[in-house]
Amino acid sequence: MNKKLMLIDGHSILNRAFYGIPNLTNSEGLHTNAVYGFLNIMFRFLDEENPDYLMVAFDVHQPTFRHEMYDGYKATRHKMPEELVEQVPMIQEVLKAMDIKVVTLSGYEADDILGTLSKQGEEAGMDVTVISGDRDLLQLASDQVKIRIPKTKGGKTEVEDYNRKDVIEKYQVTPEEFIEVKALMGDSSDNIIGVSGIGEKTAIKIINQYHSIENAYEHVSEIKPPRASKNLEAEIEVARFAKKLVTICRTAPVSVTIEEGSRKDFYTKEAYELFVKLEFKNFLSRFDNLSLSNQCEESFTMIGDFNQAIGLFDQMKKQEEAAFVILQENKEFFGVSLSLSEKENYYIPAGGFINEDLINNYIKDYTGTLYTLHLKEEYEFFEGLSKIQVKDLGLAAYLLNPISDQFDSDYLANKYLGLNVPSYQDLFKKKSLKEVLETEPDTFKIYACYQSYVCFQAGNKILNKLEELGMKELYEEVELPLTYVLYDMTKTGVIVKKDALSDYSKVLQEELSELQNQIYQEAGEEFNINSPKQLGIVLFEKMGIEGGKKNKTGYSTSADLLEKLAPSAPIIKLILQYRKLAKLKSTYADALPSYIKEDGRIHGKFHQMVTATGRISSSDPNLQNIPIRMEMGKVFRKVFVPREGALFVDADYSQIELRILAHMSGDENLISAFNNHEDIHTMTASHVFHVPVEEVTPELRRNAKAVNFGIVYGISAFGLGEDLNISRKEAESYIKEYFAMFPKVKEFLDQCVEQAKKDGAIETIFHRIRPIPELSSSNYMEREFGKRIAMNSPVQGTAADIMKIAMVKVAKRLEKENLKSKIVLQVHDELLVEAPMDEVDVVKKILEEEMSGAANLAVKLEVEVLTGKNWLEAHE
């Protein structure tokens, strides 16, 4: 078999990757989508081709011999976006780290390098593959040189392959004749002028018949159509000049030899470090054969002797600081990771006397600072927390970079220690902890020790960074205490009536069956209502409803589109209702019972390290999405009930985000409206829609409410128009009237955007930071999205901070006053407490006092407190 040479057109593939993959950034804000896409494409071809030699050619940012021939060469090309510009040296650094030969040549283009090297490879008897998105390279194709062009189709990368015969089959000309075709037709992307009136089809026809421009010129009178004949005769010199420009030089003075591209081990330690820095986790599994051990691993020790373990715990008690991470999975305890100094790092497996009780006994006597990773998941082992300062470094890292999606030891090591540490997934893929311990105990020891080692080494660095950015108070007084509140909420759980859910599922099924029959009657046939394809055909082809939008997969049946078309067709209203009820049934009536434990309660999870704004999120199940505005959805709140002899006490902030907007903007009119207890939506409606306050209808008030909250979320005139089903011009007038009424709100929102552009981030009243890399994007839509984030994050984030402060204060009061009442749910601006009957009045007082006093704003924080025998009753 011949040896294989693979050549990659660097800029072409990088450019294709940049536009083919959505914007990606790592936690440092570096744009990485082009590099990631380039590597994806390169790895695919490496796996397929398995070449013996590999080289990547790049253009040099300076004039070439073509520019010297023609000033206008490539003059019409758009400037490369900054996000792509910064990734060119980045991909070259990655390739060099992988020991892949990068080739550039002053005065020549990458095409010329590829042409020269492919010719050399062919002459050396090699099979050559050239990877490029540029069809100009088809002129290089031969029996031994294959041009491979990746293209994206339907979100997937497909590849067109061209040897000599493939070019002839596709274009009816040889690769050499392809040059003649390009010269006749010109190339607008390179600003190369061809012969007037000759496009690709005519050029191919002419060259297919006459094989060259010169031969065609000799038979110019015979060329059809007459216009092409006339223009070629008049512009023969234009064609000859274009041919010089489009011909790839295959004798460029390239100084490298093919031997220099000899394939080596790409998966070097330097490359691994770069991949970790760029956060390309998907590629790290390719480094299987690389020894990635750090020097610190020499100090990693597994302690199998009980007395030794006790000795270490005793030593810990004498130290001012230590790192202590519980190793567990699905509540099963597997051991402890303990670090006492840089050289003392231990994995203590669970078993025998090394159990939860022993851990509790030692922790409660510790008086120093204890670094850990995910405190909320460790509370069952840390009952004595009141005596020690526990620092959750995962939580601290979240505050420092809330747009990251993971805060484990490998992330902290890379970010704050410059150390490359393999993640659990890198080491063990999808194996469970139990499987790992049985099959790879030595590797698990390394992984386990890293948990505390990283915490011990990075602890001070991370906490100092928090203090430097003004978030120490937010961390220590809000986020850390909140971990226990959320843990206790999960542990307590909330009672859900399983039988009621089952009954309601049957009611919903009856409603759905009735709706289904009505839909079939309107359509005149039966079909799968849940199939967007079948639904689109029925609505827009068979029933002829106007307004359908067809895409690659068929007609769109999105909720947004159907909502717009609903007034014109009764069937669409039925379909929208059907979808809502079907979702209620599947998401709640049918799914919630599976989460109910033996105690009759759902013990849902509450997360404080997920959202970029700081809002708490919910999962297993998500209880924050129950559609309370729908009558059928409200019923689900009825199945959430307090224990016997107790009531729910529900406290809800009133218009908290608008009140925060009033405070942060300092707008006197908005502040005055709240302080004078005016109905802000009615007041806005009166001003924006030019009607007296007493004549504001419920509909006008609803529209004003959309304007008020739309402003908070940085809504555009287009977006408001969509929401209110009005013209963009009318929406613009509403927004203009709003800002005339509250001028400082406009100043504040504009200031937020400018500040975010300057700093790359925005912050809340309590100094929570929200990075906004979208503002530096060259993509208009991304920049606009970034502006909306800049406008709403300070308000939304401050609302999240206030709710968290309130939760901590309420929980402390309940504990201080020795009450049995417990917070059981938190949903957006609402807290739900399960209170024994004899504690209801005092709990109401606590909620009112602590929630309204959570922040000192220019306007009062209003809190509505209700009670009920179920969640719905307590909320309405």
Side-chain angles (χ1 to χ4, degrees), residues 771-791:
I772 312 178
E774 293 86 355
L775 282 173
S776 63
S777 172
S778 62
N779 182 288
Y780 172 78
M781 295 303 289
E782 282 190 21
R783 286 199 309 276
E784 289 301 300
F785 177 60
K787 287 179 184 177
R788 291 195 294 277
I789 293 173
M791 286 186 265

Side-chain angles (χ1 to χ4, degrees), residues 688-705:
V688 169
F689 305 128
H690 305 290
V691 294
V693 169
E694 59 273 12
E695 293 180 22
V696 172
T697 63
E699 184 182 359
L700 286 178
R701 188 182 181 279
R702 277 195 301 273
N703 288 350
K705 189 175 181 180

